Each structure stands twice: as structure tokens, then as C-alpha cells.
Amino acid sequence: MIREKKSTTFMDVASQAEKTASQTWEEVSAQLSEKVNHATHVMVKGVRIVCEVIAVLILGFTLLLVFLLSMQFQLVMGMDPLPVFSPITMDAFGFSGFFLALAVFFVGEEEKKIFEEKSVQREKTPSGDTDKEGEEQK
């Protein structure tokens, strides 16, 4: 009698847990695509901001490097000053830093464009229907 009572209690608990899990999944699955889209949007914004900040830092360090290397200064008292670099070398430092900053900036911009294109495609096919080749229908 005690074993039968325990087994029915365990079965009741298991069925209640299954019901709760299925109800929770139904509530969560309805909001899942919206939450994933929001998280992706936040991530893309974050990566774009990080790319912009890194581009500004690279540009700032490049300008600082060109400024410091274009003048003659002593690193340590009593030591001979560093030699001045030629204008061609200074231009090479400046252009390489400038174009590296532009490249990092445009990486962030291209990621934003790719995300916008993907979100437009998702809006066109909200159900995610695919054709015979497995590509999304347009």
C-alpha cells in the first residue's frame, strides 16, 4: 500500500512537471524569435560602436606617433635625442595608421549593412518558408 501511494505521488509530480514545462515552453517559444532579433540587434550595435572606438583610438595613436617621431626629443636625461625620421617615413606611418582606422571603421559599417539585409529578408519571409533548393523564398 505504501509503495503504491509513493509511486502515484511520483507519477503525479512527474506529470505536473511535464505540464509546467510544456506551458513554459509555449510561453517562451512565442517570444523567442523576438528576443533573438533584439539580442542580435544589440550585438550588432555593440560591435559597430566598438569598431568606431577602435578606429578613433588607432587614428589618435597614429597622430601621436607621427607627432612624437617628427620632433627631436630625449627619452632619458643625459641621453642623445632620437634622430628625426624623414618625411617619407612619417607619411608612411600616417597613411598606414589612417587607412587601418578606416578599415576598422568600415568593418563595423559592413556588419551593420549585412544585418540590415538579413533583417529585411526575415521580414519578407516571417515563417521561414524555403523552396526546393533550401533557399528562402523572396
Side-chain angles (χ1 to χ4, degrees):
M1 175 108 178
I2 295 175
R3 287 183 184 234
E4 290 177 14
K5 191 173 188 180
K6 282 186 180 180
S7 64
T8 57
T9 306
F10 290 138
M11 294 303 268
D12 291 341
V13 169
S15 65
Q16 185 179 7
E18 183 180 1
K19 287 179 186 177
T20 305
S22 65
Q23 288 173 352
T24 305
W25 174 249
E26 289 172 4
E27 292 172 4
V28 170
S29 64
Q31 301 172 357
L32 194 58
S33 64
E34 179 185 332
K35 297 297 181 184
V36 167
N37 286 337
H38 181 68
T40 310
H41 186 69
V42 168
M43 184 193 70
V44 168
K45 270 188 171 181
V47 169
R48 184 172 176 221
I49 290 171
V50 167
C51 285
E52 289 175 0
V53 168
I54 289 174
V56 168
L57 288 175
I58 289 172
L59 191 60
F61 285 135
T62 300
L63 293 174
L64 181 66
L65 177 73
V66 168
F67 172 72
L68 290 176
L69 293 178
S70 67
M71 63 181 192
Q72 204 171 16
F73 66 97
Q74 282 182 305
L75 292 175
V76 180
M77 294 294 289
M79 184 177 145
D80 291 337
L82 294 174
V84 177
F85 287 97
S86 72
I88 295 172
T89 306
M90 300 309 295
D91 288 343
F93 282 140
F95 285 130
S96 63
F98 176 72
F99 287 117
L100 179 62
L102 276 180
V104 171
F105 177 77
F106 286 130
V107 164
E109 290 296 315
E110 286 299 316
E111 183 183 0
K112 177 187 166 199
K113 287 179 186 177
I114 290 170
F115 172 73
E116 288 174 351
E117 289 174 5
K118 295 284 185 182
S119 64
V120 166
Q121 286 178 354
R122 277 191 220 115
E123 288 174 4
K124 287 182 179 178
T125 60
S127 62
D129 295 333
T130 57
D131 59 5
K132 294 177 184 175
E133 286 107 28
E135 298 176 1
E136 291 184 1
Q137 293 178 351
K138 293 181 182 177

